[in-house]
Coordinates of all heavy atoms in Angstrom, one line a residue:
M1 N 34.3 29.4 37.6 CA 34.9 30.8 37.4 C 34.2 31.3 36.0 O 34.1 30.6 35.1 CB 36.4 30.7 37.2 CG 37.2 32.0 37.1 SD 38.9 31.6 36.9 CE 39.2 32.7 35.6
P2 N 33.8 32.5 36.1 CA 33.1 33.1 34.8 C 34.1 33.4 33.7 O 35.3 33.9 34.1 CB 32.5 34.4 35.3 CG 33.1 34.7 36.6 CD 33.6 33.4 37.2
V3 N 33.8 33.0 32.5 CA 34.7 33.2 31.6 C 34.1 33.9 30.4 O 32.8 33.7 30.1 CB 35.1 31.8 31.0 CG1 36.0 32.0 29.9 CG2 35.9 31.0 32.2
P4 N 34.7 34.9 29.6 CA 34.0 35.7 28.5 C 33.7 34.7 27.4 O 34.4 33.7 27.1 CB 35.0 36.6 28.1 CG 36.2 36.6 29.1 CD 36.0 35.5 29.9
K5 N 32.4 34.8 26.9 CA 32.0 33.9 25.9 C 32.8 34.0 24.6 O 33.1 33.0 24.0 CB 30.5 34.2 25.6 CG 29.7 33.1 24.9 CD 28.3 33.5 24.7 CE 27.5 32.3 24.1 NZ 26.1 32.6 24.1
R6 N 33.1 35.3 24.2 CA 33.9 35.5 23.0 C 35.1 36.3 23.3 O 35.1 37.1 24.2 CB 33.0 36.2 22.0 CG 32.0 35.4 21.4 CD 31.2 36.3 20.5 NE 29.9 35.9 20.4 CZ 29.3 34.8 19.9 NH1 30.3 34.0 19.2 NH2 28.1 34.4 19.8
K7 N 35.9 36.2 22.4 CA 37.3 37.1 22.5 C 36.8 38.5 22.1 O 36.1 38.6 21.1 CB 38.3 36.5 21.5 CG 39.5 37.5 21.5 CD 40.5 36.9 20.4 CE 41.6 37.9 20.3 NZ 42.8 37.4 19.4
R8 N 37.3 39.4 22.7 CA 37.1 40.9 22.4 C 38.0 41.2 21.3 O 39.1 41.0 21.4 CB 37.5 41.6 23.6 CG 36.2 42.0 24.4 CD 36.3 43.4 25.2 NE 35.0 43.7 25.6 CZ 34.5 44.8 25.9 NH1 35.4 45.8 25.9 NH2 33.2 45.0 26.2
S9 N 37.3 41.7 20.3 CA 38.1 42.1 19.1 C 39.2 43.3 19.4 O 38.9 44.0 20.4 CB 37.3 42.6 17.9 OG 36.7 44.0 18.2
R10 N 40.2 43.3 18.7 CA 41.2 44.3 18.9 C 40.6 45.8 18.8 O 40.9 46.7 19.7 CB 42.2 44.3 17.8 CG 43.6 44.5 18.2 CD 44.6 44.3 17.1 NE 44.6 43.0 16.6 CZ 45.2 42.7 15.5 NH1 45.8 43.5 14.7 NH2 45.3 41.3 15.1
S11 N 39.6 46.0 17.9 CA 39.0 47.2 17.8 C 38.1 47.5 19.0 O 38.2 48.6 19.5 CB 38.0 47.2 16.6 OG 37.2 48.2 16.6
R12 N 37.3 46.6 19.6 CA 36.5 46.9 20.8 C 37.5 47.0 22.0 O 37.2 47.9 22.8 CB 35.6 45.7 21.0 CG 34.3 45.8 20.3 CD 33.4 44.6 20.7 NE 32.1 44.8 20.2 CZ 31.0 45.2 20.8 NH1 31.2 45.5 22.1 NH2 30.0 45.4 20.2
R13 N 38.5 46.4 22.1 CA 39.4 46.6 23.2 C 40.2 47.9 23.1 O 40.1 48.6 24.1 CB 40.5 45.4 23.1 CG 41.5 45.5 24.2 CD 42.7 44.8 23.9 NE 43.5 45.4 22.8 CZ 44.3 44.8 22.0 NH1 44.7 43.4 22.2 NH2 44.9 45.4 21.0
D14 N 40.7 48.2 22.0 CA 41.4 49.6 21.8 C 40.6 50.8 21.9 O 40.9 51.8 22.4 CB 42.2 49.6 20.6 CG 43.3 48.4 20.7 OD1 43.5 48.0 21.7 OD2 43.8 48.2 19.6
K15 N 39.2 50.7 21.7 CA 38.3 51.8 21.9 C 38.3 52.2 23.3 O 38.0 53.5 23.5 CB 36.9 51.5 21.3 CG 36.6 51.6 19.9 CD 35.3 51.1 19.6 CE 35.1 50.9 18.1 NZ 33.8 50.2 17.8
R16 N 38.5 51.2 24.1 CA 38.4 51.7 25.6 C 39.6 52.7 25.9 O 39.5 53.6 26.8 CB 38.6 50.5 26.5 CG 38.5 50.6 27.9 CD 38.5 49.3 28.7 NE 39.4 48.4 28.4 CZ 39.6 47.2 28.1 NH1 38.2 46.6 27.9 NH2 40.6 46.5 28.0
F17 N 40.8 52.5 25.2 CA 41.8 53.3 25.6 C 42.0 54.7 24.7 O 42.9 55.4 24.7 CB 43.1 52.6 25.5 CG 43.1 51.4 26.4 CD1 43.0 50.1 26.0 CD2 43.1 51.5 27.7 CE1 43.0 49.0 26.7 CE2 43.0 50.4 28.6 CZ 43.1 49.2 28.0
A18 N 41.1 54.7 23.7 CA 41.1 55.8 22.7 C 41.3 57.1 23.2 O 42.0 58.0 22.8 CB 39.9 55.6 21.8
N19 N 40.5 57.4 24.3 CA 40.5 58.8 25.0 C 41.4 59.0 26.1 O 41.3 60.0 26.8 CB 39.1 59.2 25.2 CG 38.2 59.3 23.9 OD1 38.6 59.8 23.0 ND2 37.1 58.5 24.0
K20 N 42.2 58.0 26.2 CA 43.0 57.9 27.6 C 44.0 59.2 27.6 O 44.4 59.6 28.6 CB 43.7 56.7 27.7 CG 43.9 56.5 29.2 CD 44.6 55.0 29.4 CE 44.9 54.8 30.9 NZ 45.7 53.7 31.1
G21 N 44.6 59.4 26.4 CA 45.6 60.6 26.3 C 45.1 61.9 26.4 O 46.0 62.8 26.7
F22 N 43.9 62.2 26.3 CA 43.4 63.5 26.4 C 43.2 64.0 27.8 O 42.5 63.4 28.6 CB 42.0 63.6 25.6 CG 42.1 63.4 24.1 CD1 41.8 62.3 23.6 CD2 42.6 64.5 23.4 CE1 41.9 62.1 22.1 CE2 42.6 64.4 22.0 CZ 42.3 63.2 21.4
V23 N 43.9 65.1 28.1 CA 43.8 65.7 29.4 C 43.6 67.3 29.1 O 44.5 67.8 28.4 CB 45.1 65.5 30.2 CG1 45.0 66.2 31.6 CG2 45.3 64.0 30.4
I24 N 42.5 67.7 29.5 CA 42.3 69.2 29.3 C 43.0 69.8 30.4 O 42.6 69.7 31.6 CB 40.8 69.5 29.2 CG1 40.2 68.8 28.0 CG2 40.7 70.9 29.2 CD1 38.7 68.7 27.9
K25 N 44.0 70.6 30.1 CA 44.7 71.3 31.1 C 44.2 72.7 31.3 O 43.8 73.3 30.4 CB 46.2 71.3 30.8 CG 46.8 69.9 31.0 CD 48.2 69.9 30.6 CE 48.9 68.6 30.9 NZ 50.1 68.3 30.4
A26 N 44.3 73.2 32.5 CA 43.8 74.5 32.7 C 44.8 75.6 32.1 O 46.0 75.4 32.2 CB 43.8 74.7 34.3
F27 N 44.2 76.7 31.5 CA 45.2 77.5 31.0 C 44.5 79.0 31.1 O 43.4 79.1 31.4 CB 45.4 77.3 29.4 CG 44.2 77.4 28.6 CD1 44.0 78.7 28.0 CD2 43.4 76.6 28.4 CE1 42.9 79.0 27.1 CE2 42.2 76.7 27.6 CZ 42.0 78.0 27.0
T28 N 45.5 79.9 31.2 CA 45.0 81.4 31.3 C 45.6 82.1 30.2 O 45.9 81.6 29.1 CB 45.6 81.9 32.7 OG1 47.0 81.7 32.6 CG2 45.1 81.2 33.9
E29 N 45.4 83.4 30.5 CA 45.9 84.3 29.4 C 46.9 85.3 29.9 O 46.9 85.7 31.1 CB 44.7 85.2 29.0 CG 44.6 85.8 27.7 CD 43.3 86.5 27.4 OE1 43.1 87.4 28.1 OE2 42.6 86.1 26.5
C30 N 48.0 85.4 29.1 CA 49.1 86.3 29.5 C 48.5 87.7 29.7 O 47.7 88.2 29.0 CB 50.2 86.3 28.4 SG 51.5 87.5 28.7
R31 N 48.9 88.4 30.7 CA 48.5 89.7 31.2 C 49.1 90.7 30.3 O 48.5 91.8 30.1 CB 48.8 90.2 32.6 CG 47.9 89.2 33.6 CD 48.2 89.8 35.0 NE 47.9 88.7 36.0 CZ 48.0 89.0 37.2 NH1 48.7 90.1 37.7 NH2 47.6 88.0 38.2
N32 N 50.2 90.4 29.8 CA 50.8 91.4 28.8 C 50.6 91.3 27.4 O 50.2 92.3 26.7 CB 52.4 91.1 29.0 CG 53.2 92.3 28.4 OD1 53.0 93.4 28.8 ND2 54.2 92.0 27.7
C33 N 50.5 90.2 26.8 CA 50.2 90.0 25.5 C 49.0 89.2 25.1 O 48.6 88.9 23.8 CB 51.4 89.4 24.8 SG 51.8 87.7 25.1
Q34 N 48.2 88.7 26.1 CA 47.0 87.9 25.8 C 47.1 86.6 25.2 O 46.3 86.2 24.5 CB 45.9 88.8 25.2 CG 45.3 89.8 26.1 CD 46.1 91.0 26.4 OE1 46.8 91.6 25.6 NE2 46.1 91.3 27.8
E35 N 48.4 86.1 25.1 CA 48.7 84.9 24.6 C 48.2 83.7 25.6 O 48.2 83.8 26.7 CB 50.2 84.6 24.5 CG 50.6 83.5 23.6 CD 50.4 83.8 22.1 OE1 50.0 84.8 21.7 OE2 50.8 82.8 21.4
P36 N 47.4 82.7 25.0 CA 47.0 81.6 26.0 C 48.3 80.9 26.6 O 49.3 80.8 25.9 CB 46.3 80.6 25.1 CG 46.5 81.0 23.5 CD 47.0 82.4 23.7
L37 N 48.1 80.6 27.9 CA 49.2 80.3 28.7 C 48.9 79.2 29.8 O 47.8 79.2 30.3 CB 49.7 81.5 29.4 CG 51.0 81.7 30.1 CD1 52.0 81.6 28.9 CD2 51.1 83.0 30.7
M38 N 49.8 78.3 30.0 CA 49.7 77.3 31.2 C 49.7 78.3 32.5 O 50.5 79.1 32.5 CB 50.8 76.2 31.2 CG 50.7 75.4 29.8 SD 49.9 73.9 30.1 CE 50.9 73.0 31.2
T39 N 48.9 77.7 33.5 CA 48.9 78.4 34.7 C 50.2 78.3 35.4 O 51.0 77.3 35.2 CB 47.8 77.8 35.5 OG1 48.0 76.4 35.7 CG2 46.4 78.1 35.1
H40 N 50.7 79.4 36.2 CA 51.9 79.3 36.9 C 53.1 79.2 36.0 O 54.2 78.6 36.6 CB 51.8 78.2 38.0 CG 50.7 78.3 38.9 ND1 49.8 77.2 38.8 CD2 50.3 79.2 39.9 CE1 48.8 77.6 39.8 NE2 49.1 78.7 40.3
Q41 N 53.0 79.7 34.8 CA 54.3 79.6 34.0 C 54.5 81.0 33.2 O 53.4 81.7 33.0 CB 54.0 78.6 32.9 CG 54.2 77.2 33.5 CD 54.4 76.2 32.4 OE1 54.6 76.4 31.4 NE2 54.3 74.9 32.8
A42 N 55.6 81.3 33.1 CA 56.0 82.5 32.5 C 55.6 82.4 31.0 O 55.8 81.3 30.5 CB 57.4 83.0 32.6
C43 N 55.2 83.6 30.3 CA 54.8 83.6 29.0 C 56.1 83.5 28.1 O 57.1 84.3 28.3 CB 54.1 84.9 28.5 SG 53.7 85.1 26.9
A44 N 56.2 82.5 27.2 CA 57.3 82.2 26.4 C 57.4 83.3 25.3 O 58.5 83.6 24.8 CB 57.4 80.8 25.8
K45 N 56.3 83.9 25.1 CA 56.3 84.9 23.9 C 56.8 86.2 24.3 O 57.7 86.9 23.6 CB 55.0 85.0 23.3 CG 54.8 85.6 22.1 CD 53.4 85.7 21.5 CE 53.4 86.5 20.3 NZ 51.9 87.0 20.0
C46 N 56.4 86.8 25.5 CA 56.9 88.0 25.9 C 57.8 88.0 27.2 O 58.5 89.0 27.5 CB 55.8 88.9 26.1 SG 54.6 88.5 27.5
G47 N 57.8 86.9 27.8 CA 58.9 86.7 29.1 C 58.2 87.3 30.3 O 59.0 87.6 31.2
F48 N 56.9 87.6 30.3 CA 56.2 88.2 31.5 C 55.6 87.2 32.4 O 55.1 86.1 31.9 CB 55.3 89.1 31.0 CG 55.8 90.6 30.7 CD1 56.6 90.9 29.7 CD2 55.5 91.7 31.7 CE1 57.2 92.1 29.5 CE2 56.0 93.0 31.4 CZ 56.9 93.1 30.4
Y49 N 55.6 87.4 33.7 CA 54.8 86.5 34.7 C 54.2 87.5 35.6 O 55.0 88.1 36.3 CB 55.8 85.5 35.2 CG 55.0 84.6 36.2 CD1 54.1 83.7 35.7 CD2 55.2 84.7 37.6 CE1 53.4 82.9 36.7 CE2 54.4 83.9 38.5 CZ 53.6 83.0 38.0 OH 52.9 82.2 38.7
K50 N 52.9 87.5 35.8 CA 52.1 88.2 36.6 C 52.5 89.8 36.3 O 52.7 90.5 37.4 CB 52.4 87.8 38.2 CG 51.7 86.7 38.5 CD 51.7 86.3 39.9 CE 50.8 85.2 40.4 NZ 50.8 85.0 41.8
G51 N 52.7 90.2 35.3 CA 52.9 91.6 34.9 C 54.4 92.1 35.0 O 54.6 93.2 34.8
N52 N 55.2 91.1 35.5 CA 56.6 91.5 35.6 C 57.5 90.8 34.5 O 57.3 89.5 34.2 CB 57.2 91.1 36.9 CG 56.4 91.9 38.0 OD1 56.2 93.0 37.8 ND2 56.1 91.3 39.1
K53 N 58.4 91.4 33.9 CA 59.4 90.7 33.0 C 60.3 89.9 33.9 O 61.1 90.3 34.8 CB 60.3 91.8 32.3 CG 61.2 91.3 31.2 CD 60.5 91.4 29.8 CE 61.5 91.0 28.8 NZ 60.9 90.5 27.6
V54 N 60.4 88.6 33.6 CA 61.1 87.5 34.4 C 62.2 86.8 33.6 O 63.1 86.2 34.2 CB 60.2 86.5 35.1 CG1 59.4 87.2 36.2 CG2 59.3 85.8 34.1
M55 N 62.1 87.0 32.2 CA 63.1 86.2 31.5 C 63.2 86.8 30.1 O 62.3 87.5 29.6 CB 62.8 84.8 31.4 CG 61.5 84.4 30.6 SD 61.3 82.8 30.6 CE 60.1 82.6 29.3
D56 N 64.5 86.6 29.5 CA 64.6 87.0 28.2 C 63.9 86.0 27.1 O 64.1 84.8 27.3 CB 66.1 87.2 27.8 CG 66.7 88.3 28.4 OD1 65.9 89.2 28.9 OD2 68.0 88.4 28.5
T57 N 63.2 86.6 26.1 CA 62.7 85.6 25.1 C 63.7 85.5 23.9 O 64.8 86.1 24.0 CB 61.4 86.3 24.6 OG1 61.8 87.5 24.0 CG2 60.4 86.5 25.6
K58 N 63.5 84.6 23.1 CA 64.3 84.4 21.8 C 64.4 85.7 21.1 O 65.7 85.8 20.8 CB 63.6 83.5 20.8 CG 64.4 82.3 20.5 CD 63.5 81.4 19.6 CE 64.4 80.2 19.3 NZ 63.6 79.1 18.5
I59 N 63.5 86.4 21.0 CA 63.7 87.7 20.2 C 64.5 88.7 21.0 O 65.4 89.2 20.4 CB 62.2 88.4 20.1 CG1 61.4 87.5 19.1 CG2 62.4 89.8 19.5 CD1 59.9 87.8 19.0
D60 N 64.4 88.7 22.4 CA 65.3 89.6 23.1 C 66.7 89.2 23.0 O 67.5 90.0 22.7 CB 64.9 89.5 24.7 CG 63.6 90.1 24.9 OD1 63.2 90.9 24.1 OD2 62.8 89.7 26.0
R61 N 67.0 88.0 23.1 CA 68.4 87.4 22.8 C 68.9 87.7 21.6 O 70.1 88.2 21.3 CB 68.4 85.9 23.1 CG 68.3 85.6 24.6 CD 68.7 84.2 25.0 NE 67.9 83.2 24.2 CZ 66.8 82.7 24.7 NH1 66.2 83.0 25.8 NH2 65.9 81.7 24.0
A62 N 68.0 87.6 20.5 CA 68.5 87.9 19.1 C 68.9 89.4 19.1 O 69.8 89.8 18.4 CB 67.4 87.6 18.1
L63 N 68.0 90.3 19.6 CA 68.2 91.8 19.5 C 69.5 92.1 20.2 O 70.3 92.9 19.7 CB 67.1 92.6 20.1 CG 65.8 92.4 19.3 CD1 64.6 93.1 20.1 CD2 65.9 93.3 18.0
K64 N 69.7 91.4 21.4 CA 71.0 91.7 22.2 C 72.2 91.3 21.3 O 73.3 92.0 21.3 CB 70.9 91.0 23.5 CG 71.4 91.7 24.6 CD 71.2 90.9 25.9 CE 70.0 91.4 26.8 NZ 70.0 90.5 28.0
R65 N 72.1 90.1 20.6 CA 73.2 89.6 19.8 C 73.5 90.6 18.7 O 74.7 90.9 18.3 CB 72.8 88.3 19.3 CG 73.8 87.2 19.7 CD 73.4 85.8 19.2 NE 72.3 85.3 20.0 CZ 71.1 84.7 19.5 NH1 71.1 84.6 18.3 NH2 70.2 84.2 20.3
A66 N 72.5 91.0 18.1 CA 72.6 92.0 16.9 C 73.2 93.3 17.4 O 74.1 93.9 16.7 CB 71.2 92.3 16.3
E67 N 72.9 93.7 18.5 CA 73.5 95.0 19.1 C 75.0 94.7 19.3 O 75.8 95.6 19.0 CB 72.8 95.3 20.4 CG 71.8 96.4 20.4 CD 71.2 96.8 21.6 OE1 71.8 96.7 22.7 OE2 69.9 96.8 21.6
V68 N 75.3 93.7 20.0 CA 76.7 93.4 20.2 C 77.6 93.3 18.9 O 78.6 93.9 18.7 CB 76.9 92.0 21.0 CG1 78.3 91.6 21.1 CG2 76.3 92.0 22.5
R69 N 76.9 92.6 17.9 CA 77.5 92.5 16.5 C 77.7 93.8 15.9 O 78.9 94.1 15.4 CB 76.6 91.6 15.7 CG 77.4 90.8 14.8 CD 76.6 89.8 14.1 NE 75.8 88.8 14.9 CZ 74.7 88.3 14.6 NH1 73.9 88.6 13.7 NH2 74.3 87.5 15.5
K70 N 76.7 94.8 16.1 CA 76.9 96.1 15.5 C 78.0 96.7 16.3 O 78.9 97.5 15.5 CB 75.5 96.8 15.9 CG 75.2 97.8 14.7 CD 73.8 98.4 14.9 CE 73.3 99.3 14.1 NZ 72.1 99.9 14.5
A71 N 78.1 96.7 17.5 CA 79.1 97.4 18.3 C 80.5 96.9 18.0 O 81.4 97.7 17.7 CB 78.9 97.2 19.8
K72 N 80.5 95.6 17.7 CA 81.8 95.1 17.4 C 82.3 95.5 16.0 O 83.4 95.8 15.7 CB 81.8 93.5 17.3 CG 82.2 92.9 18.8 CD 82.2 91.4 18.6 CE 82.4 90.8 20.0 NZ 82.2 89.3 20.0
G73 N 81.3 95.6 15.0 CA 81.5 96.0 13.7 C 81.8 97.6 13.6 O 82.9 97.8 13.0
A74 N 81.4 98.2 14.5 CA 81.7 99.8 14.6 C 83.2 99.9 15.1 O 84.0 100.7 14.6 CB 80.6 100.4 15.5
Q75 N 83.5 99.0 16.1 CA 84.8 99.1 16.6 C 85.8 98.7 15.7 O 86.9 99.5 15.4 CB 85.0 98.1 17.9 CG 84.7 98.7 19.2 CD 84.9 97.8 20.2 OE1 85.2 96.6 20.1 NE2 84.9 98.3 21.5
K76 N 85.5 97.6 14.9 CA 86.3 97.3 13.8 C 86.6 98.3 12.8 O 87.8 98.5 12.3 CB 85.9 95.9 13.1 CG 86.8 95.0 12.5 CD 86.2 93.7 12.1 CE 86.5 92.5 12.9 NZ 85.8 91.3 12.2
Q77 N 85.5 98.9 12.4 CA 85.6 100.0 11.4 C 86.5 101.1 11.9 O 87.4 101.6 11.1 CB 84.2 100.6 11.1 CG 83.7 100.0 9.8 CD 82.3 100.8 9.5 OE1 81.8 101.6 10.2 NE2 81.7 100.5 8.4
I78 N 86.2 101.4 13.2 CA 87.1 102.6 13.7 C 88.6 102.2 13.7 O 89.5 103.0 13.3 CB 86.5 102.9 15.2 CG1 85.3 103.6 15.1 CG2 87.6 103.8 15.9 CD1 84.6 103.6 16.4
S79 N 88.9 101.0 14.1 CA 90.4 100.5 14.1 C 90.9 100.5 12.7 O 92.0 100.9 12.5 CB 90.5 99.2 14.9 OG 89.8 98.2 14.1
Q80 N 90.1 100.0 11.7 CA 90.6 100.0 10.3 C 90.8 101.4 9.9 O 91.7 101.7 9.1 CB 89.5 99.3 9.6 CG 89.6 97.8 9.6 CD 88.5 97.1 8.7 OE1 87.7 97.8 8.2 NE2 88.6 95.8 8.7
Q81 N 89.8 102.3 10.2 CA 90.0 103.7 9.7 C 91.4 104.3 10.4 O 92.1 105.0 9.7 CB 88.9 104.5 10.1 CG 87.6 104.3 9.2 CD 86.5 105.2 9.7 OE1 86.5 105.6 10.7 NE2 85.3 105.1 8.9
A82 N 91.5 104.1 11.7 CA 92.7 104.5 12.3 C 94.0 104.0 11.6 O 94.9 104.7 11.4 CB 92.6 104.2 13.8
A83 N 93.9 102.7 11.4 CA 95.1 102.1 10.7 C 95.4 102.7 9.3 O 96.3 102.8 8.9 CB 94.8 100.6 10.6
G84 N 94.2 102.9 8.6 CA 94.2 103.4 7.3 C 94.8 104.9 7.3 O 95.7 105.3 6.4
Q85 N 94.3 105.7 8.2 CA 94.9 107.0 8.3 C 96.4 107.1 8.7 O 97.1 107.9 8.1 CB 94.1 107.8 9.3 CG 92.8 108.2 9.0 CD 91.9 108.7 9.9 OE1 92.2 108.8 11.1 NE2 90.6 109.2 9.7
S86 N 96.8 106.2 9.6 CA 98.2 106.2 10.0 C 99.0 105.6 8.9 O 100.2 106.0 8.8 CB 98.3 105.4 11.3 OG 98.1 104.1 11.1
G87 N 98.5 104.7 8.0 CA 99.2 104.1 7.0 C 99.8 105.2 6.1 O 101.0 105.1 5.9
P88 N 99.1 105.9 5.2 CA 99.6 106.9 4.4 C 100.5 107.9 5.0 O 101.4 108.3 4.4 CB 98.2 107.5 3.8 CG 97.2 106.6 4.0 CD 97.7 105.8 5.3
E89 N 100.2 108.3 6.2 CA 101.0 109.3 6.9 C 102.5 108.7 7.1 O 103.4 109.5 6.9 CB 100.5 109.6 8.2 CG 99.4 110.6 8.1 CD 98.5 110.7 9.4 OE1 99.1 110.5 10.4 OE2 97.4 111.2 9.3
S90 N 102.5 107.4 7.4 CA 103.9 106.8 7.7 C 104.7 106.6 6.4 O 105.8 106.7 6.5 CB 103.7 105.4 8.4 OG 103.1 104.6 7.5
T91 N 104.0 106.5 5.4 CA 104.8 106.3 4.0 C 105.3 107.6 3.4 O 104.8 108.5 3.4 CB 103.9 105.4 2.9 OG1 102.7 106.0 2.8 CG2 103.8 104.0 3.4
Ligands
ZN101 ZN1 52.9 87.2 27.0

């Protein structure tokens, strides 16, 4: 049975696996914002896929939240004003 003459050093052995983790994946460009993109996936930056808006992005959600907060604040102000106006009248 053939047997290796010398032990392979750790360095020589591990060099064999050094490039194993590298996989060049195909990527395209977002049609909306030209951001590099994995194929068949919606753009995380603008939420578009094949030219259509398919999901809300982080920014969209933040804007929506801000709008809701603003609306709630306005409602609170109105109710406080109403309470303030009725207060002095009642006394
Ligand atoms: Zn995009």
Side-chain angles (χ1 to χ4, degrees):
M1 190 178 131
V3 178
K5 192 172 186 179
R6 287 177 211 287
K7 176 182 176 174
R8 257 199 171 209
S9 71
R10 218 177 295 168
S11 171
R12 274 186 171 254
R13 180 200 65 200
D14 291 347
K15 274 180 197 168
R16 186 170 56 233
F17 304 111
N19 297 311
K20 210 177 174 188
F22 287 104
V23 180
I24 297 169
K25 288 180 173 165
F27 70 93
T28 57
E29 199 173 65
C30 176
R31 287 187 201 175
N32 192 48
C33 68
Q34 281 73 46
E35 189 79 359
L37 199 64
M38 296 262 292
T39 52
H40 305 108
Q41 287 193 12
C43 178
K45 198 181 173 192
C46 66
F48 274 70
Y49 181 72
K50 284 189 171 180
N52 297 319
K53 183 100 176 159
V54 292
M55 65 178 196
D56 284 347
T57 60
K58 223 173 186 179
I59 294 164
D60 292 334
R61 288 195 295 273
L63 286 173
K64 226 178 252 177
R65 240 177 283 135
E67 259 177 46
V68 168
R69 216 173 293 147
K70 211 175 178 182
K72 273 187 185 171
Q75 266 185 351
K76 208 178 252 181
Q77 256 187 358
I78 289 166
S79 64
Q80 279 175 353
Q81 278 176 358
Q85 281 171 1
S86 67
E89 284 169 16
S90 62
T91 50

